[in-house]
Amino acid sequence: MGRPEKPVNRAVPARARLADFLRSRKTAAGLTYDQMARLPQTKGVPSAATLKRAASGDAVPSWDTVEEFILMTLTKDEEFGGGLTTGLQQGLDLWIRARRATRAPYDVHKAPDPTLISSRADLSRALRRQHIWAGYPTPGEMQSIVGAWSLPASTARRVIAGDTLPVDPHQTAAFLRACYVLELAELEPWLHAAVRAHGYGVRWVRAHRSAAEVITVASTQASPGNSVSGNVVSSKEVRAESAA
């Protein structure tokens, strides 16, 4: 029997909560770090040492490591009960909170409110604030999330610096998605804000209308008790409208 695992480092509470979450999954799956690292069905498996560090609370691991950790500790109940999505969403939320706690300034206590945006300067500040709230993803990370065609790292860097704004609704949606605005219901008020900031330009109005219509349809089709907040941003409608 191996030595007991060191206690989670609780110097940063948000980081500790992520570590607790990962350890609880490992315990539920009944696996050791060595066993996890040897799983044949998982691609790109991190080493046992990397997995152990991820659940230590000493630092914030990469999202790729957290995602692999969750996939490797999938329980039978999750597999047959459709709980994998919930586990990944919970892990992503904890990971973003941990990154925010270790990267964002201490005076950032809430996400920006897109309903307060009325000008291009407001939009620029709010996008930069959302980037901070998302835990400062690097331009390279942002490009990897949404693809170089949607948001080149060089463009993301200029938006973060406040030197430019996304050029169209599709790029705006891509920047926000790279800052973990992942649901259409969250994106819609941002597109509405962009409409105001860009003086009600036709392509911006069309993109916002398209997003609002998708939400309306999803809402009317949803069964009682369900929410439309689970509609993940795909940007297809936004891209089509911005090209019109």
Side-chain angles (χ1 to χ4, degrees), residues 78-222:
E78 287 178 326
E79 184 177 359
F80 296 110
L84 175 58
T85 299
T86 300
L88 287 170
Q89 288 176 338
Q90 186 177 0
L92 180 61
D93 180 65
L94 289 168
W95 179 74
I96 292 173
R97 289 173 184 269
R99 293 243 299 199
R100 185 185 305 144
T102 54
R103 295 186 178 196
Y106 287 107
D107 63 342
V108 177
H109 302 298
K110 61 181 181 179
D113 183 353
T115 66
L116 302 178
I117 295 170
S118 61
S119 67
R120 290 171 60 89
D122 289 344
L123 179 59
S124 177
R125 282 191 294 269
L127 289 174
R128 285 178 280 150
R129 191 83 169 185
Q130 180 63 37
H131 177 256
I132 294 172
W133 187 248
Y136 277 106
T138 67
E141 288 172 335
M142 297 173 74
Q143 176 180 291
S144 177
I145 291 169
V146 298
W149 184 85
S150 295
L151 184 71
S154 58
T155 299
R157 187 175 295 108
R158 294 181 65 208
V159 174
I160 293 166
D163 294 334
T164 191
L165 283 169
V167 296
D168 57 30
H170 170 61
Q171 196 172 82
T172 301
F175 183 92
L176 289 163
R177 182 168 173 248
C179 291
Y180 304 106
V181 178
L182 300 176
E183 296 176 357
L184 193 56
E186 296 176 328
L187 175 64
E188 184 273 332
W190 280 97
L191 291 176
H192 196 190
V195 168
R196 297 190 300 272
H198 289 281
Y200 293 84
V202 172
R203 61 179 177 174
W204 298 93
V205 171
R206 286 176 176 172
H208 172 252
R209 183 185 300 132
S210 176
E213 287 174 353
V214 171
I215 291 173
T216 300
V217 170
S219 179
T220 58
Q221 293 178 346

Side-chain angles (χ1 to χ4, degrees), residues 62-82:
S62 70
W63 169 245
D64 286 344
T65 297
V66 173
E67 184 178 32
E68 288 293 339
F69 200 115
I70 294 169
L71 294 174
M72 286 186 285
T73 53
L74 179 67
T75 65
K76 292 296 183 183
D77 288 342
E78 287 178 326
E79 184 177 359
F80 296 110

